Amino acid sequence: MVDWNTDDEAKKVIFYRLRNRLKDKTGGVGGGSLDIDKEALEKAQAAFETVAEDYPDWVMGNIKTLIDHHTDLHGAAEGHDRERIYTKVRELTHDMRGQGGTFGYPLITNFADSLYGFVGPNAGTSDNHLEIIKSHIDAMNVVIRERIKGDGGEEGAVLATNLKQAIEKYSKVD
């Protein structure tokens, strides 16, 4: 440990200036061109569109996994056993909430984000809470099954309202 209050000897401080490699790679601010090769951009767009077309099938696999987790929750005891499964649900919905909007399904993002928060570390583990989880899964299932893109218009609003009502209904303590 250095005692900065002593006058024994002069202390040396060395500053290192590291080259900004990111600036070099991007052409720097005000320097070089940031043009992107049109052919590379078109290839990237085509690859993205292919993945976007497959998104509903891909996310349906995630929804089926959520359904399996929900089934496991019914067989698990309240408390730690359910919390362990909540962790799996949380990990899966973490990914889903980031993907939905990217591929044109922001309702998936919204519903997955809601479920992600709902199964957080301080979540309740009662049977009523399982109904709220089911409501989230059902809403996501409808979005993908019906291919509801964007905000879903009136149908999306109805889904969001129904989910909110289910949350309110099953959040009530008797």
Side-chain angles (χ1 to χ4, degrees):
M1 184 165 162
V2 176
D3 181 4
W4 294 102
N5 296 321
T6 64
D7 294 326
D8 301 26
E9 65 180 77
K11 306 285 190 277
K12 288 187 179 182
V13 177
I14 300 172
F15 290 98
Y16 294 95
R17 285 199 180 259
L18 302 175
R19 185 178 180 110
N20 186 342
R21 300 240 183 249
L22 182 58
K23 185 177 174 183
D24 293 342
K25 290 178 182 180
T26 62
V29 177
S33 171
L34 293 178
D35 291 338
I36 298 174
D37 179 31
K38 279 192 178 241
E39 187 176 321
L41 187 58
E42 288 171 0
K43 285 181 181 179
Q45 184 65 33
F48 176 81
E49 289 172 8
T50 298
V51 171
E53 288 174 16
D54 294 339
Y55 177 74
D57 295 330
W58 171 26
V59 79
M60 186 53 83
N62 290 342
I63 292 170
K64 287 178 181 174
T65 300
L66 287 174
I67 292 168
D68 291 343
H69 289 328
H70 185 260
T71 301
D72 294 343
L73 283 166
H74 277 288
E78 281 189 41
H80 181 70
D81 289 343
R82 286 187 176 172
E83 289 170 2
R84 182 181 45 78
I85 300 168
Y86 275 21
T87 300
K88 293 177 183 180
V89 170
R90 192 167 165 84
E91 289 169 356
L92 188 55
T93 55
H94 172 77
D95 293 338
M96 291 173 72
R97 66 189 186 148
Q99 298 160 349
T102 300
F103 296 110
Y105 290 88
L107 288 173
I108 291 293
T109 293
N110 296 344
F111 298 153
D113 188 46
S114 177
L115 181 53
Y116 176 84
F118 185 77
V119 295
N122 297 318
T125 58
S126 72
D127 288 343
N128 275 0
H129 288 93
L130 301 189
E131 291 304 314
I132 295 173
I133 292 170
K134 182 182 183 308
S135 297
H136 282 87
I137 297 168
D138 289 345
M140 288 186 277
N141 196 11
V142 169
V143 169
I144 296 303
R145 189 180 66 238
E146 301 297 322
R147 302 294 198 261
I148 302 173
K149 289 188 161 194
D151 68 3
E154 189 176 322
E155 194 172 11
V158 168
L159 281 171
T161 298
N162 289 346
L163 178 58
K164 182 179 177 187
Q165 289 172 346
I167 292 169
E168 289 171 0
K169 175 182 176 181
Y170 290 107
S171 293
K172 292 180 183 174
V173 179
D174 296 326

